[in-house]
């Protein structure tokens, strides 16, 4: 037993710290850029879902179902290899990874936005209309600001998911935390230590994001939404 | 008790008129071919049991609920029910035009509908900047002025959350009046208020009546209705049963009006 390696030996992890932190930074950057794009796409799709035009509603519905239903693993292969084969578009790994995450998350976020928008009291919209505001201004100044408050917690959850999902970008060669951990684990024969450390970094990121979300939530609910009162239009 | 305000000239041309306005929700015909004319400066009070279509009638005047049939004539301009539900572009264009009508008509709701994410002043400023295209500075001045007139000078920068029901309703009234509407619609403006706050809001409406504002008021406050109205409309089941001066309505022989009044006045 005297020649056996110690059970836990994090020396190689410490010495690889710059590579690991760089991988972590790339993962965070991918998740952040992807979630920002997903918010914009998700909002557009949600507004289409709520449109009075049937075709737009249908397109949005199919979009949502598709990107919520497809596994990340398959989608990433399609975007990275499929686009290259079918359309000759050779995306570098990082943009392909970001696009994949953005599409996938936009599917979920469009539903989040939709429910947030629908949660705004109908009376608020009527009050805006009664002032003579255009539909656009009612949406922009009355509905969306109130919807946004409701969706901050699920938005935070989505961001957390996106951070963890970056691990799968390793399969197309994005040099993010998981890929670097795997390479180093193989190099030093220390899989347990490297994966554990990677896990701790993800956990750290998620805790920071969750904390940020709850701070933002408290700040915005300082003047909270009016209690929803259902108006009896027949009165 | 006679009306405290002199009745408007009976011969004045119709200022606001509904012609054959109908509205159906599902299978329920909420409004059935309503004809109604309001003169400039008139205070018209609509009474009737729940579900009689009072609120919907009010909402049809500014197309918050678009009529299915009929037209609304306001200051000589006709606003017809939308011809087709399926012509999206035409409807969208029409809806854009309707903002002109709506901006001339102020509306106060039962549930206040103040914007909770804006201060009292911001609530009032929104219409001034976005509809009247005023600068922020001018809008702010006008908002402070409008809020002061309803007794909220001290609350200008408060969020609705910090205001009582009565104060919220005052913000809503100031918000509507700031746009200097030609007509005010009140949809059971006191029904959600605690009893001790009701009189304050009724006083605001009375003040407007004295200032000569044209108003259509839906209310359950019968004493108030009989005091302030030039004419009272009694509605039941989507139809106008009877229109008359407060005295005429009080002495009516129409059985449905009588049974409603005797039920509510006891």
């Amino acid at each position: 037993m005297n020649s056996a390696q110690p059970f836990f030996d994090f020396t190689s992890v410490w010495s690889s710290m710059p590579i690991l932190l760089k991988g972590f930074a790339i993962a965070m950057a991918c998740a952040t850029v992807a979630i920002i794009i997903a918010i914009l796409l998700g909002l557009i799709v949600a507004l289409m879902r709520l449109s009075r035009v049937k075709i737009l509603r249908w397109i949005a519905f199919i979009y949502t179902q598709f990107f919520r239903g497809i596994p990340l693993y398959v989608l990433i292969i399609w975007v990275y290899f499929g686009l290259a084969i079918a359309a000759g578009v050779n995306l570098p790994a990082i943009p392909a990874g970001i696009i994949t995450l953005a599409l996938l998350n936009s599917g979920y976020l469009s539903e989040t936005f939709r429910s947030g928008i629908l949660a705004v009291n109908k009376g608020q919209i009527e009050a805006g209309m009664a002032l003579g505001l255009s539909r656009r201004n009612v949406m922009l100044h009355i509905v969306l600001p109130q919807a946004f408050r409701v969706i901050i917690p699920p938005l935070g959850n989505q961001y957390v998911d996106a951070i963890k999902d970056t691990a799968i970008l390793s399969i197309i060669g994005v040099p993010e935390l998981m890929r670097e951990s795997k390479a180093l684990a193989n190099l030093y024969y220390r899989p347990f230590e490297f994966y554990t450390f990677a896990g701790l970094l993800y956990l750290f990121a998620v805790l920071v994001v969750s904390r940020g979300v709850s701070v933002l939530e408290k700040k915005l609910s300082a003047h909270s939404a009016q209690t929803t009162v259902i108006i009896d239009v027949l009165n | 008790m006679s009306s405290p305000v002199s009745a408007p000239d009976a011969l004045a041309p119709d200022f606001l008129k509904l012609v054959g306005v109908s509205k159906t929700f599902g299978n329920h015909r909420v409004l059935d071919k309503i004809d109604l004319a309001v003169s400039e400066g008139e205070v018209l009070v609509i009474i009737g049991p729940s579900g009689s279509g009072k609120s919907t009638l009010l909402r049809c005047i500014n197309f918050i609920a678009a009529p299915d049939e009929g037209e609304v004539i306001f200051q000589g301009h006709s606003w017809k029910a939308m011809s087709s539900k399926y012509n999206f572009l035409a409807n969208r264009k029409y809806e854009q035009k309707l903002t002109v009508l709506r901006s001339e008509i102020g509306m106060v709701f039962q549930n206040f509908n103040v914007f909770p994410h804006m201060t009292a002043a911001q609530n009032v400023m929104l219409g001034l900047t976005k509809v009247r295209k005023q600068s922020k500075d001018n809008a702010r001045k006008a908002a402070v002025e409008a809020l002061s007139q309803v007794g909220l000078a001290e609350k200008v920068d408060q969020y609705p959350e910090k205001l009582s029901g009565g104060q919220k309703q005052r913000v809503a009234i100031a918000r509507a009046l700031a746009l200097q509407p030609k007509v005010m619609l009140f949809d059971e403006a006191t029904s959600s208020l605690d009893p001790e706050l009701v009189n304050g809001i009724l006083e605001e409406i009375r003040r407007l009546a004295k200032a000569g504002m044209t108003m259509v008021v839906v209310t359950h406050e019968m004493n108030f209705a009989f005091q302030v109205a030039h004419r009272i409309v009694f509605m039941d089941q989507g139809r106008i049963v009877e229109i008359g001066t407060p005295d005429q309505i009080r002495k009516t022989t129409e059985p449905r009006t009588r049974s409603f009044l005797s039920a509510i006045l006891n």
Side-chain angles (χ1 to χ4, degrees):
Chain A
M1 289 295 269
N2 53 355
S3 68
Q5 289 189 328
F7 252 6
F8 299 113
D9 180 3
F10 281 88
T11 351
S12 45
V13 171
W14 294 131
S15 62
S16 314
M17 194 59 80
I19 302 173
L20 290 170
L21 287 183
K22 196 179 167 211
F24 178 58
I26 289 174
M28 288 302 291
C30 286
T32 308
V33 175
I35 211 77
I36 290 168
I37 299 171
I39 287 172
L40 295 175
L41 280 176
L43 184 58
I44 293 168
V45 175
L47 292 175
M48 282 167 68
R49 243 351 261 277
L50 296 168
S51 161
R52 282 168 301 179
V53 184
K54 212 173 183 178
I55 302 163
L56 289 181
R57 286 205 302 269
W58 267 101
I59 294 170
F61 177 74
I62 292 166
Y63 181 99
T64 303
Q65 296 304 324
F66 182 80
F67 287 116
R68 284 203 310 174
I70 202 83
L72 175 56
Y73 204 103
V74 176
L75 188 62
I76 200 163
I77 301 267
W78 279 351
V79 171
Y80 190 59
F81 299 111
L83 274 182
I85 296 164
V89 184
N90 276 305
L91 286 171
I94 289 181
I98 290 173
I99 289 171
T100 307
L101 284 178
L103 288 173
L104 196 87
N105 283 293
S106 69
Y108 287 96
L109 284 181
S110 72
E111 284 296 281
T112 307
F113 276 116
R114 190 171 75 103
S115 59
I117 289 169
L118 290 176
V120 174
N121 186 340
K122 203 164 164 280
Q124 293 285 310
I125 298 167
E126 291 181 347
M129 282 164 70
L131 288 172
L133 292 171
S134 63
R135 282 178 71 84
R136 188 171 156 273
N137 276 332
V138 169
M139 197 37 98
L140 219 55
H141 297 284
I142 298 169
V143 177
L144 288 181
Q146 294 185 58
F148 200 65
R149 269 164 219 216
V150 184
I151 64 162
I152 281 178
L155 202 60
N157 287 340
Q158 206 63 44
Y159 187 32
V160 161
D161 276 354
I163 292 170
K164 290 188 293 177
D165 280 350
T166 55
I168 295 184
L169 302 189
S170 62
I171 65 166
I172 57 165
V174 175
E176 47 67 58
L177 180 58
M178 208 57 187
R179 187 180 172 86
E180 303 295 25
S181 302
K182 194 179 171 191
L184 291 163
N186 290 339
L187 182 68
Y188 292 105
Y189 299 109
R190 283 281 166 200
F192 182 78
E193 285 83 349
F194 275 100
Y195 289 134
T196 301
F197 184 71
L200 288 175
L201 278 181
Y202 286 116
L203 197 59
F204 168 74
V206 166
L207 290 176
V208 169
V209 168
S210 307
R211 182 81 201 117
V213 166
S214 66
V215 167
L216 190 63
E217 205 186 333
K218 276 213 186 82
K219 213 171 168 183
L220 281 176
S221 67
H223 24 270
S224 63
Q226 204 174 357
T227 18
T228 310
V229 188
I230 297 162
I231 301 164
D232 181 3
V233 285
L234 298 180
N235 251 346
Chain B
M1 218 180 299
S2 68
S3 169
V5 210
S6 62
D9 184 356
L11 296 175
D14 288 326
F15 175 66
L16 173 66
K17 200 160 157 183
L18 276 65
V19 184
V21 167
S22 297
K23 177 85 183 165
T24 306
F25 289 124
N27 287 328
H28 183 48
R29 199 160 173 84
V30 187
L31 291 179
D32 192 9
K33 296 205 178 351
I34 298 284
D35 295 316
L36 184 65
V38 187
S39 321
E40 192 161 10
E42 180 173 23
V43 179
L44 190 77
V45 174
I46 305 177
I47 60 173
S50 286
S52 59
K54 312 183 292 288
S55 276
T56 307
L57 177 62
L58 214 58
R59 279 152 200 271
C60 278
I61 295 176
N62 61 356
F63 281 68
I64 293 293
D68 298 329
E69 294 161 35
E71 61 181 315
V72 174
I73 297 164
F74 178 59
Q75 293 189 310
H77 194 299
S78 163
W79 302 87
K80 291 199 171 58
M82 288 182 210
S83 50
S84 163
K85 280 185 178 168
Y86 303 102
N87 190 343
F88 173 74
L89 285 177
N91 285 351
R92 191 165 184 115
K93 215 169 157 191
Y94 193 54
E95 195 146 323
Q96 200 57 41
K97 279 193 191 161
L98 282 171
T99 59
V100 175
L101 171 73
R102 288 175 185 147
S103 71
E104 298 294 321
I105 300 177
M107 188 164 195
V108 175
F109 300 86
Q110 178 178 351
N111 295 312
F112 326 134
N113 295 335
V114 288
F115 308 131
H117 57 300
M118 297 181 187
T119 63
Q122 287 166 344
N123 262 276
V124 181
M125 285 166 67
L126 186 64
L128 292 170
T129 53
K130 299 297 166 195
V131 179
R132 294 283 184 255
K133 311 283 181 204
Q134 289 185 12
S135 71
K136 276 235 158 77
D137 285 347
N138 286 341
R140 163 91 193 174
K141 272 180 214 148
V144 171
E145 168 73 24
L147 287 166
S148 305
Q149 287 201 348
V150 293
L152 289 182
E154 321 275 277
K155 306 283 182 186
V156 170
D157 292 315
Q158 293 280 0
Y159 281 94
E161 187 193 41
K162 299 264 192 273
L163 302 176
S164 71
Q167 290 168 334
K168 282 182 200 164
Q169 195 61 299
R170 284 164 198 273
V171 171
I173 291 172
R175 180 174 69 183
L177 288 178
L179 296 185
Q180 300 182 319
K182 307 275 191 326
V183 180
M184 283 289 285
L185 310 176
F186 286 88
D187 187 6
E188 298 192 30
T190 59
S191 295
S192 306
L193 291 174
D194 292 337
E196 72 272 21
L197 300 174
V198 168
N199 279 328
I201 295 301
L202 294 181
E203 209 40 62
E204 292 295 337
I205 302 175
R206 210 172 260 135
R207 194 169 60 83
L208 279 174
K210 281 183 186 146
M213 176 66 82
T214 311
M215 296 195 280
V216 183
V217 181
V218 169
T219 185
H220 284 133
E221 300 287 334
M222 284 308 137
N223 290 330
F224 172 75
F226 280 102
Q227 281 165 30
V228 83
H230 295 122
R231 284 188 303 158
I232 292 178
V233 176
F234 174 70
M235 281 185 75
D236 193 19
Q237 296 179 1
R239 296 209 175 121
I240 291 176
V241 176
E242 194 175 10
I243 306 181
T245 63
D247 273 344
Q248 287 168 335
I249 295 292
R250 198 181 279 114
K251 292 170 191 152
T252 185
T253 52
E254 208 292 322
R256 271 187 290 176
T257 317
R258 283 189 61 162
S259 80
F260 174 75
L261 286 178
S262 67
I264 214 162
L265 289 177
N266 288 329

